Amino acid sequence: MKAASERLKDSGAILVLAVDAADNAVIAHERESGNVPNCFVPDLWKLELPPRVILLMSCRSHRRNKVQAPQCVQEVNVQGFDEKSSSEFLRQEFCNLDDDICQRFHTATRGTPRLQSYWRSDLSKEDFSEVEEKIRERASFGLPELYVDWLDS
């Protein structure tokens, strides 16, 4: 990391050491180790990072305590997509959908990017003529319903 920091010095760039879903790593460690408290995630906060190197971790809000972030760490709550972003995401796959269908998609998924990705993946298997109807049918289809649907199939 020191070498990378030195190389970035003149460019003004930064190196981001990112750990996505850090809470999942802690939970997996607890499950596999029988709760032995030596997961790598909390130890990352103790690293002495060189200039231009930052640590970024993501986790679910209700599991913040699992990553044991020091109090000085700035927390940022990541929001879901707004209606415009949801429409753009859906139209990457289905460019000719009308605004009403895109709005229904956004409302039904509550702007949750992961859920939208699952929906779009499932919808991409459908004939385009059926996509609008499928979105109308799933007007309140969230993650719990999706998981049940996967288990039942």
Side-chain angles (χ1 to χ4, degrees):
M1 285 191 290
K2 287 179 185 176
S5 174
E6 282 301 313
R7 286 185 177 166
L8 297 173
K9 190 163 132 180
D10 295 331
S11 70
I14 60 171
L15 171 65
V16 179
L17 177 58
V19 182
D20 188 28
D23 53 327
N24 289 348
V26 174
I27 289 170
H29 173 79
E30 290 170 349
R31 185 179 56 244
E32 296 300 318
S33 70
N35 272 345
V36 174
N38 288 330
C39 181
F40 73 94
V41 171
D43 291 337
L44 291 175
W45 299 113
K46 299 172 189 168
L47 291 175
E48 291 188 35
L49 300 175
R52 294 168 296 286
V53 178
I54 62 170
L55 176 60
L56 172 73
M57 288 195 201
S58 72
C59 69
R60 289 175 176 79
S61 302
H62 65 281
R63 293 189 191 156
R64 286 184 181 127
N65 63 321
K66 292 282 186 191
V67 299
Q68 300 176 31
Q71 290 201 347
C72 62
V73 170
Q74 179 182 358
E75 292 184 14
V76 177
N77 287 321
V78 179
Q79 302 299 313
F81 288 158
D82 60 16
E83 192 171 323
K84 181 177 184 263
S85 299
S86 293
S87 296
E88 289 172 2
F89 180 73
L90 184 60
R91 285 179 173 143
Q92 287 174 352
E93 184 80 29
F94 310 104
C95 56
N96 294 322
L97 292 177
D98 64 59
D99 291 341
D100 176 60
I101 293 299
C102 291
Q103 187 273 328
R104 286 174 182 258
F105 174 77
H106 173 76
T107 300
T109 61
R110 294 177 297 286
T112 306
R114 180 181 305 193
L115 183 55
Q116 288 188 0
S117 180
Y118 293 151
W119 270 48
R120 195 176 82 173
S121 177
D122 283 351
L123 290 168
S124 70
K125 299 170 191 162
E126 301 291 335
D127 183 54
F128 181 78
S129 63
E130 297 179 23
V131 168
E132 289 187 5
E133 187 56 38
K134 293 286 184 183
I135 291 173
R136 283 189 188 94
E137 287 174 8
R138 290 182 163 187
S140 62
F141 203 82
L143 284 174
E145 293 86 0
L146 186 61
Y147 295 145
V148 169
D149 186 52
W150 285 343
L151 290 172
D152 288 345
S153 58

